[in-house]
Amino acid sequence: LVNCFRVVPYAATQFASYDKYKHIFEEMNGGELTLPFRLLAGSMAGATATSITHPLDTVRLRLSVQPELNGFSGAVSSVWKEGGARTFYKGYGATILSLGPFIAINFATFDQFKHVVYTRYPSLESSTITTLGLGASAGLFAQTICFPLDTIRRRMQLPGKTYSSVSNAFATVARDEGIRGFYKGIGPNALKVLPNNAIRFMVYDHLKSYFQHQGHRK
């Protein structure tokens, strides 16, 4: 339930701000949106959405790893007692470093996949299956590149960890667990990312097309 409360503003802010940033960069660049600008728009969208919803993400993580907590209010109380309001933003720097690149690569890759596939095969543009496949592929590609950053993000949000900084967390994991430590859980995470990313982009594309069509009709 906490994750649902987090996902609604997170996804809404992420997609809306990505389109807004793309529009700004298009105007700055004479109507052309290059890959570096797409990546920049994606990273800025990730930072915007994360800044708004990070406290909810911290509470969600605590509920998933501390079953003794008494629901949402118990998790909020536990986080507050640990260090006040600042604790809700524990791991914020690592989250920005993790989700910024992931969202940047995810959005830019999806846009690039669409451009390549739909240019070569225009008939596929209205295909739901194609959109699902492109979304899943973009998510898998972005996750593979960015998973070590996500590992550090989650480690820094956990209670009882004493990492002094992002660099310290990287050094500690590398020293104690080796390179494999950065990729623990990548398989289960891929099982989540593939359908999640596929459905998100498919629904977003269909809703965007629908509302644009309604706007033109008016």
Side-chain angles (χ1 to χ4, degrees):
L1 185 61
V2 176
N3 194 52
C4 289
F5 283 130
R6 180 189 70 91
V7 163
V8 171
Y10 180 75
T13 306
Q14 187 183 117
F15 278 103
S17 58
Y18 178 65
D19 273 354
K20 183 65 176 179
Y21 292 137
K22 282 201 304 181
H23 179 68
I24 292 172
F25 291 140
E26 277 181 332
E27 291 185 337
M28 288 173 53
N29 202 38
E32 182 182 359
L33 192 66
T34 60
L35 182 58
F37 277 125
R38 289 185 189 277
L39 289 169
L40 181 58
S43 63
M44 291 175 65
T48 302
T50 298
S51 298
I52 293 172
T53 61
H54 189 77
L56 287 172
D57 193 42
T58 300
V59 173
R60 176 190 64 87
L61 181 65
R62 295 298 180 89
L63 282 170
S64 67
V65 300
Q66 292 181 274
E68 71 275 9
L69 295 176
N70 184 25
F72 178 79
S73 60
V76 170
S77 177
S78 174
V79 174
W80 181 268
K81 289 178 181 178
E82 188 177 317
R86 292 182 61 182
T87 313
F88 287 97
Y89 279 89
K90 187 176 181 181
Y92 175 75
T95 302
I96 292 293
L97 289 175
S98 165
L99 293 180
F102 174 79
I103 294 170
I105 295 171
N106 192 20
F107 275 89
T109 302
F110 180 71
D111 280 351
Q112 191 65 24
F113 282 171
K114 283 201 307 180
H115 174 72
V116 172
V117 172
Y118 295 160
T119 298
R120 294 183 180 180
Y121 309 100
S123 61
L124 295 178
E125 191 164 352
S126 59
S127 168
T128 298
I129 298 298
T130 301
T131 306
L132 287 168
L134 296 179
S137 300
L140 184 62
F141 179 68
Q143 180 219 236
T144 302
I145 294 175
C146 300
F147 195 77
L149 295 170
D150 192 53
T151 297
I152 296 302
R153 174 185 71 85
R154 286 181 278 109
R155 296 287 184 93
M156 292 192 72
Q157 283 182 293
L158 291 173
K161 295 294 182 182
T162 56
Y163 303 123
S164 59
S165 64
V166 173
S167 59
N168 175 254
F170 268 105
T172 303
V173 173
R175 183 187 67 240
D176 296 344
E177 304 172 49
I179 297 299
R180 295 182 64 180
F182 291 105
Y183 288 93
K184 285 183 177 178
I186 191 171
N189 196 66
L191 293 177
K192 180 193 77 170
V193 166
L194 288 174
N196 180 295
N197 219 58
I199 294 169
R200 282 199 322 146
F201 277 116
M202 182 273 292
V203 171
Y204 176 69
D205 259 18
H206 278 273
L207 288 176
K208 187 175 179 179
S209 297
Y210 172 78
F211 285 119
Q212 285 178 338
H213 179 67
Q214 293 298 312
H216 289 319
R217 287 178 60 184
K218 291 179 181 180

